[in-house]
């Protein structure tokens, strides 16, 4: 029960921080106006979910109910481990993001949002790696987190645009242009995910131990994550090379329905990946 709450808190926090960074990033790249209320809500949500994650972590480590946390263990975790400084940096970044959001400055919000998202690297396997290898691992993990946040933020905007699309030629051309312009950003995101993911895999498991993953829960979950990533790549390619040109052609109605379904499926796969990552972060790869 407590482990499930820990995984759930990690999952919700990852979704929140990914959107907080990914949305203003996509709005900036596309030259779109941001939504102040959405970013403010995500910044506040990040603070609340960070507190929930802390309580769930303590509950999982001590075996106590999350509703009645063991405050002595919480104090030790905050004062004698890197968790305290990490949460302090995240809290400051989220507070700054909230201020910029309230000032309706989404581009400025992106900076502290990226810092807040980067702190996730210090609460997973990368945070436990030491010395120079630890630095390389955390740099790769931060790049992985930022790229994933960019993709998730883009999907959120694109799904909203497609589901609220008005059947006018001008509106369809606007959305088609947005999808086309995302192509370069999407290529950079995928390249970053592939390189940083490979580095993370080697750092966490090691090349010599890769065959041992086949018989472990960690290996099965990692395989499921890679399979979902492959599904996302396939859907993204279909959207880019098949459906977006259809939206620009003389048969837009057919393209709209297919794009809606494809983007929803791609988003579902992304949510599934984050759920798996939240679970993987609680497991010993060799356990």
């Amino acid at each position: 029960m407590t482990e499930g709450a820990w995984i759930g808190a990690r999952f919700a926090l990852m979704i929140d921080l990914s959107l907080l960074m990914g949305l203003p990033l996509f709005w900036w790249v596309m030259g779109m106006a941001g939504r102040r209320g959405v970013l403010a809500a995500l910044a506040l949500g990040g603070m609340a979910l960070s507190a929930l994650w802390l309580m769930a972590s303590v509950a999982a480590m001590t075996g106590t109910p999350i509703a009645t946390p063991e405050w002595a263990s919480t104090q030790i975790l905050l004062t004698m481990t890197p968790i305290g400084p990490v949460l302090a940096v995240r809290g400051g970044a989220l507070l700054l993001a909230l201020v910029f959001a309230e000032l309706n400055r989404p581009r400025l919000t992106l900076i502290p949002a990226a810092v807040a998202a980067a702190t996730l690297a210090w609460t997973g396997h990368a945070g436990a790696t030491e010395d120079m290898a630890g630095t390389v691992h955390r740099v790769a993990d931060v790049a992985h987190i930022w790229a994933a946040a960019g993709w998730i933020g883009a999907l959120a905007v694109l799904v909203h645009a497609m589901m609220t699309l008005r059947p006018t030629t001008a509106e369809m051309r606007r959305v088609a242009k947005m999808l086309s312009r995302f192509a370069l950003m999407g290529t950079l995101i995928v390249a970053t995910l592939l390189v940083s993911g490979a580095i993370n895999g080697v750092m966490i498991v090691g090349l010599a131990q890769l065959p041992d993953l086949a018989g472990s829960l960690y290996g099965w979950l990692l395989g499921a994550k890679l399979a979902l990533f492959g599904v996302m790549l396939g859907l993204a390619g279909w959207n880019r090379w098949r459906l977006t040109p259809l939206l620009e052609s003389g048969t837009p109605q057919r393209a709209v329905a297919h794009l809606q379904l494809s983007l929803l499926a791609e988003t579902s796969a992304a949510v599934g990946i984050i759920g798996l990552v939240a679970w993987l972060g609680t497991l010993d790869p060799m356990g």
Side-chain angles (χ1 to χ4, degrees):
M1 185 69 174
T2 54
E3 185 176 348
W6 186 23
I7 295 170
R10 282 174 55 84
F11 169 74
L13 183 60
M14 289 176 180
I15 290 285
D16 182 279
L17 296 183
S18 294
L19 287 172
L20 182 61
M21 177 188 166
L23 287 174
L25 175 61
F26 188 76
W27 291 334
W28 173 47
V29 171
M30 295 294 131
M32 301 168 63
R35 297 197 175 188
R36 178 177 61 185
V38 171
L39 295 181
L42 288 169
L44 289 171
M47 297 176 193
L49 289 169
S50 292
L52 177 63
W53 171 82
L54 175 63
M55 292 188 294
S57 300
V58 173
M61 286 185 287
T62 60
T64 57
I66 190 173
T68 56
E70 189 177 307
W71 295 112
S73 298
T74 304
Q75 185 177 10
I76 291 173
L77 196 64
L78 289 173
T79 59
M80 300 181 67
T81 74
I83 296 300
V86 167
L87 289 180
V89 170
R90 183 186 299 164
L94 289 172
L95 183 60
L96 191 57
L98 177 62
V99 171
F100 287 145
E102 288 295 337
L103 294 174
N104 201 21
R105 304 292 295 274
R107 292 187 181 182
L108 289 179
T109 305
L110 173 60
I111 300 172
V115 173
T119 61
L120 291 171
W122 277 261
T123 61
H125 290 115
T129 311
E130 299 177 347
D131 302 325
M132 181 57 69
T135 301
V136 173
H137 192 177
R138 284 184 284 275
V139 168
D141 206 22
V142 168
H144 203 74
I145 290 166
W146 283 350
W151 200 344
I152 290 165
L155 283 174
V157 178
L158 293 172
V159 167
H160 180 266
M162 287 304 306
M163 300 309 292
T164 59
L165 181 63
R166 295 190 300 272
T168 64
T169 301
E171 186 71 4
M172 289 184 183
R173 285 178 178 172
R174 183 186 69 82
V175 174
K177 183 178 179 181
M178 187 191 308
L179 288 163
S180 296
R181 290 183 63 186
F182 176 59
L184 176 58
M185 179 182 176
T187 300
L188 294 174
I189 285 173
V190 169
T192 302
L193 287 173
L194 289 172
V195 173
S196 60
I199 294 173
N200 284 342
V202 171
M203 289 291 182
I204 293 172
V205 180
L207 289 174
Q209 286 74 37
L210 283 177
D212 298 333
L213 289 178
S216 68
L217 175 60
Y218 190 96
W220 282 102
L221 294 178
L222 181 60
K225 175 192 171 185
L226 294 175
L228 286 176
F229 180 67
V231 170
M232 290 184 70
L233 285 180
L235 289 170
W238 190 38
N239 295 344
R240 173 67 183 93
W241 302 112
R242 176 62 178 167
L243 298 182
T244 299
L246 272 179
L247 192 63
E248 298 170 326
S249 72
T251 56
Q253 293 301 331
R254 178 186 171 193
V256 168
H258 288 175
L259 269 168
Q260 289 173 339
L261 181 60
S262 177
L263 286 170
L264 286 173
E266 189 177 342
T267 303
S268 298
V271 172
I273 287 175
I274 294 177
L276 290 170
V277 170
W279 192 355
L280 285 165
T282 67
L283 298 175
D284 179 357
M286 295 293 102

